[in-house]
Amino acid sequence: MLAQTGTGVLKGTIVDKDSKEPIIGATVQLLNDLSKGTASDVDGNYVLVLDTGYYKVLCSYLGLQTDTFSLKIKENEIFQKNIVLKQAGRTLETVVVSSGKFEQKIEELTVSMEVLKPNLISNKNTTSIETALEQVPGLTIIDNDPQIRGGSGFTFGVGSRVAIVVDGVPLLSGDAGRPEWSYIPVENIEQIEIIKGASSVLYGSSALNGVINIRSAYPRAKPKTSINYSAGQYSIPQAPAENWYKTRGNNSFPGFSNLNLFHSRIIKNNLDFVIGANFNIDQGYIGPPPPAKFIPNDLKEVLHMEDTGVVFTNDQMIKQRGRVNVNLRYRAKRIQGLNFGLNANFMLNKTNMVFAWLDDSLGLYRGYPGAVFLEDQVLFNVDPFIKYTTKNGLSHSIQTRLFNSDNVISNNQSNKGTMYFGEYQIQRKFKSIDLNFIGGVVGNISKSTSRLYVSSGQPSNQIVNTSAYIQLDKKFWRILNLSGGIRYENFKINDLKADDAFIYRIGGNLQLTRATFIRSSYGLGYRYPTITERYITTKAGMFGVFPNPDLKPEKSKSFEVGVKQGFKIGNCKGYLDVAAFHQKYENNIEYLFGAWDPSVSIIGFKFLNTGNSQVRGLDFSLAATTAETNKRFGVSTLIGYTYIEPISLTPDSVYGYSKLTDGSVGQALTYKNSSMDTTGNVLKYRFKHMFKLDIEFKIYKFNFGVSNRYYTKMQNIDKAFVDIEQLTKDADIFFDRIYATKFWAKHIEISVWDARLSYSVTDKQRIAIVCNNIFNEAYSLRPMKIESPRTAAIQYVLTF
């Protein structure tokens, strides 16, 4: 720019090309001095006073393509420039915030990330968010437990190694560290960002293997209302398991219905108001267990068995859910840069948990006596927040959360918990040197009360976590991004000695060509055991869950190198991403089946440190679309393939001892003698090959989409399943025989296809038919738990 005396004014309006709505909060900056700029107001208007001279100007907004233009400012002149921004697709234009907690283009990240847009979530008729997440390359959800690149085994969802956050605030339960998927408001999602790899520096203990960040949508200039209703039913399973459906009593197929409501608006130019609701009824595809066989009381006492004579009805197995959420954000009129608000969510949920099938043939879709629990949940959270950004770009924010859970569960499994969370964060973007600084302090108190945890000496327990972090992101020569951060974690459970750790991460991203980016990162991870993992003691029938107060924290080292290649072929644009990763784990915590303490129960599960392990592999993902360039025809797709080598590094290390029925110490347990298949020392409960595909075609007013999820056989499971099969066989006069290994051995691969067809009646109305598991495959992702048979649903969406 050639400076001259005097000043002039640049002004105009910024609108969204597709919706024609004004854009609130779009930034207008000088390209050669990003510290000088402004933002559009509630009507999309912006004003920028400049010295006379020549300028290049950049206009940007999250989720939209940036625009640049040149101009000359003359003295006392008003230069009018109206700006139209286009939508960014699932390509290299996608803007994310999860990696560094500030806006970045996805191609410039130093870590692997996938992004799910709300269209895919809605089009798949998602009633609980995990069903949409199943399509993410490298991510598997096994019985509610998220796994990224095989970083964890099967744990019933307890002690998640993947952080689940909503708008940056954690949403895992305080006592068990497990996700409540149905609690997440699917009706109000801007996009979902999935970080693959250790992310503990910014997100803390639970982010050992990655992060799932659900970002809520805030209102635009025009109010928006959406009504999404669907109803459907389950198909008859494949023979011979269809017999249960014929004995339901009313000769009807189980069905389900779902209603999502959403409304957002800006009130008096300053108050953002969002309200959403969900109502769901699901008869389920797993029926109640039959009455247990008669067991004499003296034998029950010898085996320390709970009474399994409780009989549930089909009506008791029906799931019912009601949820309401509200988001409020006020932008202060008198203090520029200040906004504050409150987010809240409330849910009543009647559900059930089935831990084991009746058998592997006729009883696939029925529960085992004593292994079915009914649950009534009351969950709510209240999240006050405040944020202030100064004119020079210094930002202060405070986010807090009160999360309360009250779970009334049959068979004396009830528990209550409260989590208190607070985070102060300071952020500064030094635009003149292209440096972003972020730092923060975090406090988290998780309290839980339940007789499940009396092995600690009391039913009430708490974990206190304090932490602090700093991260710097610097860009050099507009092509090289370097990122580094450090975090201090301190945990204390009850009155035990505190445990602390320092962790760090570093990474870089280099732009080789206009659309070629290579990246590399290295980081440490740390996860502290939950209250549940340490202290849970319970039993159901012959099954038990055993405490382990001596659990040690898990630690990890994660390295990754990757390349993201953008492309444009005709009207098709997208990217191909390839990553190689290597993760090492110390003090692995696994949820293992065995004979741990006959004074509690003859057999069951226990959390144990099983030694050290590593997971290395390759991850491919392809995202492409043509839909944005042609309103009458288009194709969009997301494809991924993941290969992992999950290996035990300490296969002969003793991690525990079984106990005999007389209380004496039994076998010393190692990876080698507790595994079904030790070939290559492969870890338990992992899939070595995973393939994901979702593709959607648009032809005029019709959209047709298909999805596929493919897994090779789970090579290794607990050998103790053989023991329990033999035990129930030898005593089948008293017990229903358990079958687990035959189904596992028979099914060498899993391939599940879904399909959907929709028709846009008008610009505001859409109807669809959604069919999941269209070939009605009987498949299992973990031993003794069958997945859903085919479902078919009709969906109606009204948006105005």
Side-chain angles (χ1 to χ4, degrees):
M1 184 208 50
L2 298 176
Q4 299 178 13
T5 59
T7 60
V9 175
L10 169 65
K11 64 180 296 186
T13 302
I14 307 172
V15 299
D16 185 313
K17 180 179 180 181
D18 290 338
S19 66
K20 311 301 182 185
E21 296 179 4
I23 299 173
I24 306 167
T27 59
V28 179
Q29 301 166 289
L30 302 186
L31 201 57
N32 66 334
D33 184 1
L34 296 176
S35 64
K36 294 183 179 180
T38 187
S40 57
D41 62 18
V42 70
D43 296 314
N45 298 321
Y46 72 95
V47 177
L48 185 60
V49 178
L50 297 170
D51 292 333
T52 56
Y54 294 92
Y55 295 93
K56 284 190 175 181
V57 179
L58 171 72
C59 179
S60 62
Y61 185 76
L62 181 63
L64 300 179
Q65 297 182 34
T66 59
D67 186 25
T68 58
F69 57 91
S70 301
L71 74 156
K72 179 182 179 181
I73 293 294
K74 298 180 181 179
E75 187 173 2
N76 298 324
E77 180 183 71
I78 297 177
F79 190 97
Q80 183 79 26
K81 176 65 177 180
N82 295 328
I83 304 171
V84 179
L85 297 183
K86 303 177 182 178
Q87 289 288 331
R90 194 189 298 145
T91 64
L92 295 185
E93 300 151 356
T94 301
V95 178
V96 296
V97 299
S98 297
S99 176
K101 293 196 174 183
F102 66 98
E103 294 182 13
Q104 294 174 281
K105 294 180 179 179
I106 193 170
E107 67 269 23
E108 297 179 352
L109 302 182
T110 62
V111 297
S112 291
M113 178 183 287
E114 303 288 348
V115 177
L116 281 186
K117 295 291 187 179
N119 284 345
L120 177 62
I121 298 170
S122 176
N123 292 348
K124 287 182 68 67
N125 193 31
T126 302
T127 60
S128 187
I129 196 61
E130 76 274 17
T131 58
L133 290 171
E134 288 174 343
Q135 288 302 137
V136 174
L139 172 62
T140 306
I141 297 178
I142 300 180
D143 205 14
N144 290 326
D145 182 22
Q147 300 180 3
I148 291 180
R149 294 173 171 172
S152 61
F154 158 62
T155 64
F156 277 116
V158 174
S160 175
R161 279 77 170 167
V162 177
I164 313 297
V165 296
V166 177
D167 296 323
V169 182
L171 197 61
L172 296 173
S173 62
D175 60 343
R178 66 182 301 166
E180 296 287 353
W181 298 113
S182 60
Y183 187 63
I184 296 172
V186 296
E187 64 275 8
N188 180 26
I189 292 179
E190 181 75 25
Q191 66 183 28
I192 303 177
E193 300 167 5
I194 301 96
I195 301 175
K196 296 190 271 190
S199 305
S200 294
V201 166
L202 289 182
Y203 291 95
S205 172
S206 58
L208 193 70
N209 294 337
V211 178
I212 299 174
N213 185 16
I214 295 98
R215 291 173 47 202
S216 301
Y218 275 97
R220 299 290 181 89
K222 293 183 180 179
K224 179 181 178 181
T225 301
S226 178
I227 301 171
N228 184 332
Y229 176 75
S230 63
Q233 65 180 29
Y234 297 91
S235 295
I236 297 177
Q238 291 184 4
E242 84 279 5
N243 287 317
W244 168 69
Y245 281 71
K246 296 179 180 178
T247 59
R248 286 177 57 84
N250 54 8
N251 294 318
S252 65
F253 300 152
F256 53 87
S257 61
N258 187 81
L259 175 64
N260 289 338
L261 303 173
F262 172 81
H263 178 75
S264 68
R265 66 170 52 238
I266 298 174
I267 301 174
K268 294 185 178 180
N269 295 335
N270 290 87
L271 178 63
D272 296 335
F273 172 73
V274 179
I275 186 169
N278 168 254
F279 304 95
N280 181 276
I281 299 177
D282 188 349
Q283 290 180 301
Y285 64 92
I286 295 181
K293 292 184 178 181
F294 173 75
I295 303 175
N297 289 331
D298 55 349
L299 181 59
K300 287 183 182 178
E301 291 179 5
V302 171
L303 299 178
H304 301 278
M305 290 183 59
E306 292 279 354
D307 184 17
T308 58
V310 179
V311 178
F312 300 131
T313 66
N314 286 324
D315 288 342
Q316 287 178 299
M317 297 292 286
I318 294 176
K319 300 178 181 181
Q320 301 177 64
R321 179 176 74 236
R323 176 173 41 75
V324 177
N325 61 91
V326 176
N327 294 352
L328 296 170
R329 180 176 65 182
Y330 181 79
R331 298 183 301 279
K333 293 181 180 180
R334 296 183 179 180
I335 305 176
Q336 186 177 358
L338 175 66
N339 69 80
F340 53 88
L342 179 75
N343 300 328
N345 198 6
F346 176 82
M347 181 175 77
L348 297 176
N349 189 28
K350 175 182 176 293
T351 185
N352 61 71
M353 297 177 287
V354 180
F355 291 102
W357 60 39
L358 180 60
D359 59 51
D360 62 1
S361 56
L362 296 176
L364 270 177
Y365 295 88
R366 298 195 70 177
Y368 190 86
V372 177
F373 302 91
L374 303 182
E375 180 178 21
D376 290 322
Q377 288 184 301
V378 179
L379 305 178
F380 70 85
N381 68 273
V382 180
D383 306 346
F385 65 89
I386 185 170
K387 183 175 183 180
Y388 175 65
T389 303
T390 65
K391 293 181 179 180
N392 63 1
L394 179 63
S395 175
H396 303 268
S397 67
I398 297 176
Q399 289 183 295
T400 62
R401 165 164 288 171
L402 167 64
F403 180 30
N404 188 82
S405 61
D406 187 353
N407 305 301
V408 179
I409 307 174
S410 60
N411 199 37
N412 298 313
Q413 307 290 311
S414 301
N415 59 84
K416 295 181 180 180
T418 304
M419 183 188 77
Y420 305 92
F421 172 86
E423 178 178 6
Y424 166 72
Q425 184 183 111
I426 183 171
Q427 188 171 161
R428 173 72 186 271
K429 186 171 182 64
F430 300 91
K431 297 177 181 179
S432 59
I433 58 174
D434 221 342
L435 172 69
N436 194 87
F437 165 84
I438 184 170
V441 292
V442 181
N444 195 329
I445 301 174
S446 296
K447 297 184 176 182
S448 181
T449 301
S450 173
R451 60 173 290 183
L452 295 173
Y453 308 134
V454 294
S455 68
S456 70
Q458 57 188 6
S460 296
N461 297 268
Q462 75 170 18
I463 290 182
V464 178
N465 169 224
T466 55
S467 57
Y469 61 88
I470 291 175
Q471 180 164 304
L472 295 173
D473 292 83
K474 175 75 172 83
K475 195 166 187 177
F476 296 90
W477 313 296
R478 298 187 180 178
I479 60 170
L480 175 63
N481 288 335
L482 295 180
S483 176
I486 187 170
R487 186 184 187 101
Y488 170 74
E489 287 272 6
N490 181 278
F491 280 89
K492 184 176 176 61
I493 185 168
N494 297 334
D495 295 324
L496 298 181
K497 182 181 178 181
D499 189 274
D500 57 9
F502 280 98
I503 52 179
Y504 66 88
R505 67 168 297 271
I506 55 174
N509 181 300
L510 177 64
Q511 182 178 0
L512 293 180
T513 69
R514 181 179 179 184
T516 304
F517 300 80
I518 60 172
R519 66 181 183 275
S520 181
S521 63
Y522 176 83
L524 304 183
Y526 171 87
R527 192 184 76 84
Y528 191 77
T530 63
I531 294 172
T532 300
E533 290 170 292
R534 283 180 178 268
Y535 297 128
I536 185 170
T537 307
T538 187
K539 51 189 172 181
M542 72 173 67
F543 299 103
V545 183
F546 303 85
N548 186 358
D550 299 321
L551 273 181
K552 300 176 182 178
E554 292 179 293
K555 299 178 181 179
S556 73
K557 298 177 181 178
S558 178
F559 172 75
E560 173 186 302
V561 60
V563 59
K564 189 181 291 290
Q565 177 63 57
F567 62 84
K568 184 175 182 181
I569 305 172
N571 289 330
C572 179
K573 57 182 178 179
Y575 65 77
L576 172 67
D577 190 279
V578 181
F581 55 90
H582 189 280
Q583 303 166 119
K584 280 192 173 183
Y585 299 92
E586 180 182 339
N587 295 327
N588 255 24
I589 297 178
E590 300 277 347
Y591 191 48
L592 301 181
F593 194 59
W596 305 113
D597 187 353
S599 67
V600 176
S601 186
I602 58 174
I603 202 163
F605 290 91
K606 185 177 182 178
F607 292 96
L608 291 155
N609 292 113
T610 58
N612 302 336
S613 65
Q614 73 176 20
V615 180
R616 60 188 179 188
L618 298 172
D619 200 2
F620 300 82
S621 61
L622 171 70
T625 181
T626 62
E628 296 170 17
T629 58
N630 191 326
K631 297 298 183 181
R632 309 183 80 178
F633 173 81
V635 180
S636 60
T637 186
L638 177 62
I639 302 173
Y641 167 74
T642 305
Y643 168 75
I644 63 171
E645 292 182 353
I647 300 171
S648 172
L649 298 178
T650 53
D652 297 310
S653 175
V654 176
Y655 60 75
Y657 294 86
S658 63
K659 281 191 178 182
L660 304 179
T661 53
D662 61 3
S664 61
V665 176
Q667 184 182 25
L669 297 172
T670 67
Y671 163 85
K672 281 287 183 69
N673 65 23
S674 66
S675 296
M676 285 288 289
D677 186 346
T678 60
T679 304
N681 292 334
V682 169
L683 295 172
K684 302 169 186 175
Y685 307 112
R686 268 78 166 185
F687 299 105
K688 293 184 72 172
H689 299 269
M690 293 178 287
F691 174 80
K692 306 287 183 72
L693 176 147
D694 186 88
I695 184 168
E696 182 161 320
F697 301 90
K698 174 182 174 63
I699 305 174
Y700 296 95
K701 293 187 175 184
F702 289 92
N703 285 65
F704 173 72
V706 293
S707 300
N708 176 249
R709 299 177 298 282
Y710 171 84
Y711 310 91
T712 52
K713 180 182 176 180
M714 183 180 285
Q715 178 178 324
N716 193 12
I717 62 174
D718 281 305
K719 193 175 181 180
F721 283 110
V722 175
D723 300 330
I724 191 64
E725 286 181 336
Q726 188 62 46
L727 174 65
T728 56
K729 178 182 179 182
D730 294 340
D732 61 358
I733 188 174
F734 298 120
F735 303 109
D736 291 281
R737 288 185 61 181
I738 286 178
Y739 299 86
T741 60
K742 183 179 177 181
F743 190 94
W744 163 77
K746 179 181 177 182
H747 291 76
I748 61 174
E749 62 182 10
I750 299 169
S751 183
V752 182
W753 288 89
D754 306 330
R756 57 189 183 269
L757 174 66
S758 67
Y759 174 74
S760 298
V761 181
T762 66
D763 292 339
K764 299 179 179 180
Q765 299 183 75
R766 176 172 60 87
I767 57 174
I769 299 174
V770 182
C771 184
N772 294 326
N773 191 6
I774 57 178
F775 298 113
N776 206 18
E777 295 288 338
Y779 69 101
S780 173
L781 295 178
R782 61 94 166 163
M784 300 181 65
K785 173 66 184 296
I786 197 69
E787 299 298 321
S788 173
R790 178 174 54 229
T791 63
I794 297 177
Q795 179 190 41
Y796 172 76
V797 181
L798 172 64
T799 304
F800 57 93

